[in-house]
């Protein structure tokens, strides 16, 4: 594949990170915060983004990334093409990935990839990593469970790549996101504006990015 030693070391580091997150991302249910659309909405507010549902049927992760790439990066790529490029990227890195994949799921790389080619088979952390690398895009996964559960793919974000944002709630459902409409931002900024008393400087939150209403 023409992969250099530096490329290989980055892949190993990235896959180790995925393995570490997967093994530590399932604490006792009592310790896990709620993961509902409402909590995701709250966690997206700090990014001035809102939920954009894209459907499901086992394809929600790929549909969410498709929507982000098409609407925020002007790239004409489909969810099926994202599946195929993910499978190709994982297969090309299989020597580095296989030990961690077997340790995490007990399956072989070929069984894993055979399942992944089929519509309706869920994506996971490894497919997010694969899509990030195959599409040369930073993926920020914002969790409904709070910032401690947010993830970046790749972990070391590439400053030369565009960044997209997907949301995650109810354990296995992914959504796209979009910037808060400009009219809503203006209304919220007006509501947040502090009415100063005589002799005090008026305080107003900084302007935020927003889409046109």
């Amino acid at each position: 594949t023409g992969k250099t030693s530096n490329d290989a070391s980055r892949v190993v580091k990235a896959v180790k990170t995925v393995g570490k997150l997967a093994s530590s991302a399932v604490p006792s249910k009592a310790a896990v915060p709620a993961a509902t659309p409402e909590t995701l909405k709250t966690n997206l507010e700090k990014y001035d983004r809102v939920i954009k549902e894209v459907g499901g049927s086992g394809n929600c992760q790929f549909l969410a990334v498709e929507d982000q790439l098409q609407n925020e990066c002007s790239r004409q790529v489909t969810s099926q093409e994202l599946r195929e490029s993910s499978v190709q990227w994982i297969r090309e890195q299989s020597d580095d990935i296989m030990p961690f994949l077997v340790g995490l799921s007990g399956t072989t790389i070929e069984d894993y990839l055979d399942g992944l080619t089929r519509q309706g088979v869920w994506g996971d952390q490894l497919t997010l990593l694969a899509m990030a690398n195959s599409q040369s895009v930073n993926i920020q996964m914002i969790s409904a469970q709070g910032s401690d559960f947010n993830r970046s793919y790749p972990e070391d974000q590439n400053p030369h790549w565009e960044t997209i944002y997907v949301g995650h709630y109810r354990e296995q459902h992914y959504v796209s996101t979009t910037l808060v409409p400009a009219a809503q931002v203006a209304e919220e900024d007006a509501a947040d504006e502090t009415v100063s008393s005589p002799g005090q400087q008026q305080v107003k939150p900084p302007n935020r990015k927003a889409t046109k209403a």
Side-chain angles (χ1 to χ4, degrees), residues 19-203:
K20 179 179 66 178
L21 295 177
S23 62
S24 63
V26 192
S28 66
K29 289 187 177 181
V32 176
T36 66
E38 290 72 25
T39 56
L40 178 57
K41 179 181 177 182
T42 299
N43 293 335
L44 284 170
E45 287 177 355
K46 66 186 70 173
Y47 302 93
D48 293 321
R49 304 190 78 86
V50 293
I51 293 171
K52 182 180 181 182
E53 287 285 357
V54 290
S57 301
N59 302 307
C60 57
Q61 185 190 92
F62 299 98
L63 289 169
V65 174
E66 172 195 82
D67 181 80
Q68 285 288 291
L69 290 174
Q70 289 185 358
N71 294 297
E72 307 232 353
C73 303
S74 300
R75 302 190 198 178
Q76 296 308 307
V77 60
T78 67
S79 60
Q80 181 57 35
E81 289 170 338
L82 290 171
R83 274 189 182 275
E84 293 168 359
S85 63
S86 296
V87 168
Q88 180 180 349
W89 185 87
I90 294 168
R91 181 170 282 119
E92 289 173 351
Q93 323 302 327
S94 60
D95 289 345
D96 299 319
I97 289 172
M98 187 162 54
F100 303 99
L101 182 64
V102 172
L104 287 173
S105 63
T107 190
T108 66
I109 193 81
E110 286 307 320
D111 286 346
Y112 174 80
L113 293 177
D114 180 61
L116 192 58
T117 59
R118 297 195 295 271
Q119 285 284 318
V121 173
W122 292 353
D124 53 25
Q125 295 188 70
L126 186 52
T127 52
L128 283 173
L129 178 64
M131 283 189 279
N133 282 279
S134 64
Q135 302 300 314
S136 299
V137 66
N138 298 311
I139 299 178
Q140 288 290 324
M141 191 277 288
I142 310 303
S143 173
Q145 292 173 289
S147 57
D148 288 345
F149 292 81
N150 292 348
R151 302 290 182 250
S152 300
Y153 303 91
E155 184 183 26
D156 297 326
Q157 300 277 274
N158 189 319
H160 304 294
W161 293 355
E162 294 176 281
T163 299
I164 62 175
Y165 296 82
V166 298
H168 181 244
Y169 69 89
R170 286 181 181 157
E171 296 186 1
Q172 291 295 340
H173 187 57
Y174 289 86
V175 296
S176 185
T177 67
T178 188
L179 285 167
V180 176
Q184 184 176 338
V185 169
E187 182 179 339
E188 290 176 353
D189 282 349
D192 290 340
E193 186 173 327
T194 302
V195 178
S196 60
S197 58
Q200 286 186 323
Q201 184 178 0
Q202 194 173 39
V203 178

